[in-house]
Amino acid sequence: MSSRTKARKRALDILYGADLRERPLADALAEEALRATQQPQREGSWPYAREIASGVDEHRAELDALIAEHAHGWTLERMPVLDRAIIRLGAWEILFNDEVPEGVAIAEAVQLASELSTDDSAGFVNGVLSAIAHSR
């Protein structure tokens, strides 16, 4: 597993946990930063995970507006928390990280959904992120 893939999973854990617990993302990031200093074996994935989570936090209103626009028939509140976090992560990579090709961002998000969420989630994530990518 590549270091970026590990970082995405770590960022997803941060985003999902903060959303599920309805706590500020800044608090979850601070907690994870402390954990990163205590677990040097995980140090390689921390910088990009922090970049993703911070980026999602910084651009959340814009990301959520685009997600709501392209998630036909689904409101953000109605989406499963995990799927919402995966889509936010993927949308941030598509829109704000020029180093990651759109196809890679979508494929990585779909893989996370396939591994961690429901049977229908991968298709849903793919559809929403593809629509966001095409709307750029």
Side-chain angles (χ1 to χ4, degrees), residues 72-90:
H72 303 290
W74 286 84
T75 63
L76 283 166
E77 296 77 23
R78 191 169 157 239
M79 283 180 202
V81 176
L82 182 57
D83 293 357
R84 186 172 53 226
I86 292 169
I87 294 170
R88 284 175 175 154
L89 184 158

Side-chain angles (χ1 to χ4, degrees), residues 8 86-87 89-91 93 104-114 122 125-126 129:
R8 285 180 187 96
I86 292 169
I87 294 170
L89 184 158
E93 282 196 308
V104 171
I106 294 168
E108 290 279 339
V110 168
Q111 185 64 36
L112 286 168
S114 295
V125 167
N126 185 52
L129 292 178

Side-chain angles (χ1 to χ4, degrees), residues 5 22 24 29 50 56 58 82 105 108 115 122 127:
T5 298
E22 298 179 353
L29 276 164
R50 179 182 56 223
V56 168
E58 180 181 340
L82 182 57
E108 290 279 339
E115 292 174 4

Side-chain angles (χ1 to χ4, degrees), residues 85-126:
I86 292 169
I87 294 170
R88 284 175 175 154
L89 184 158
W92 177 83
E93 282 196 308
I94 290 167
L95 298 170
F96 299 104
N97 189 343
D98 294 333
E99 295 176 13
V100 177
E102 291 174 356
V104 171
I106 294 168
E108 290 279 339
V110 168
Q111 185 64 36
L112 286 168
S114 295
E115 292 174 4
L116 303 172
S117 197
T118 68
D119 291 341
D120 297 328
S121 292
F124 178 66
V125 167
N126 185 52

Side-chain angles (χ1 to χ4, degrees), residues 23-79:
R23 64 188 285 221
L25 194 50
D27 292 351
L29 276 164
E31 185 178 288
E32 189 62 24
L34 178 62
R35 187 175 296 121
T37 63
Q38 296 170 344
Q39 297 176 359
Q41 70 276 16
R42 297 179 67 195
E43 185 177 346
S45 64
W46 172 236
Y48 190 54
R50 179 182 56 223
E51 182 180 351
I52 293 169
S54 296
V56 168
D57 193 33
E58 180 181 340
H59 297 283
R60 184 166 171 179
E62 182 180 353
L63 293 169
D64 284 356
L66 279 169
I67 293 166
E69 179 183 339
H70 295 289
H72 303 290
W74 286 84
T75 63
L76 283 166
E77 296 77 23
R78 191 169 157 239
M79 283 180 202

